[in-house]
């Protein structure tokens, strides 16, 4: 893609992300509401260390905020690995089947977020 094409598609990618994330929040709200209104408890809480592909503090902050906005998940903290300089999130999830499943959930958000934030659309 040329630079002009990626700049022209950037607003549409951003709007597409907002629509996708809105749907995800609604689906997550329904799951949490269903669990709270029905007898028993279906939650399987856990914490995972989630390496990210975020390259800037803005990307990491946006990802952390979006994880926290999603019902049933919470960003506990962030760090930068000293050797690789990779940005890492620590995430608590109420409805995951273990750390790998939680990493996959956060990875889905990241897969949609990075092309929307980066004007070139590159997610590396």
């Amino acid at each position: 893609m040329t630079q002009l094409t990626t700049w022209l598609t950037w607003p549409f990618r951003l709007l597409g992300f907002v629509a996708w994330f809105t749907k995800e929040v609604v689906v997550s709200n329904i799951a949490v509401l269903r669990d709270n209104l029905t007898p028993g408890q279906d939650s399987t809480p856990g914490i995972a260390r989630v390496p990210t592909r975020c390259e800037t503090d803005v990307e990491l902050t946006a990802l952390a905020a979006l994880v926290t906005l999603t019902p049933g998940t919470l960003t506990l903290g962030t760090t930068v690995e000293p050797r690789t300089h990779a940005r890492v999130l620590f995430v608590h999830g109420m409805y995951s089947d273990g750390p790998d499943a939680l990493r996959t959930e956060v990875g889905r958000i990241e897969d949609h977020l990075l092309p929307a934030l980066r004007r070139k659309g590159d997610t590396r």
Side-chain angles (χ1 to χ4, degrees), residues 52-71:
T52 70
R53 295 184 314 271
C54 297
E55 295 177 351
T56 66
D57 289 341
V58 170
E59 291 175 352
L60 186 67
T61 301
L63 181 60
L66 292 168
V67 165
T68 299
L69 283 172
T70 306

Side-chain angles (χ1 to χ4, degrees), residues 8-9 12 14 25-26 28 31 35 41 44 59 62 79-80 87-88 93 101-102 105 108 113 115:
L8 291 174
T9 62
F12 299 106
L14 192 57
V25 168
V26 169
S28 296
D35 190 30
Q41 187 74 19
T44 53
E59 291 175 352
T79 190
V80 177
R87 290 168 166 81
V88 176
L102 193 51
E105 289 176 38
R108 282 186 52 232
L113 173 67

Side-chain angles (χ1 to χ4, degrees), residues 19-31 66 69-71:
W20 174 84
F21 187 72
T22 300
K23 177 198 64 106
E24 291 297 311
V25 168
V26 169
V27 169
S28 296
N29 267 311
I30 291 169
L66 292 168
L69 283 172
T70 306

Side-chain angles (χ1 to χ4, degrees), residues 32 42-50 67 70-76 90-99 101-103 105-106:
V32 171
D42 290 333
S43 65
T44 53
I47 296 174
R49 180 183 173 280
V50 182
V67 165
T70 306
T73 59
L74 175 68
T75 300
L76 300 174
F90 295 95
V91 178
H92 178 273
M94 287 298 297
Y95 303 97
S96 64
D97 295 329
L102 193 51
R103 285 185 200 97
E105 289 176 38
V106 174

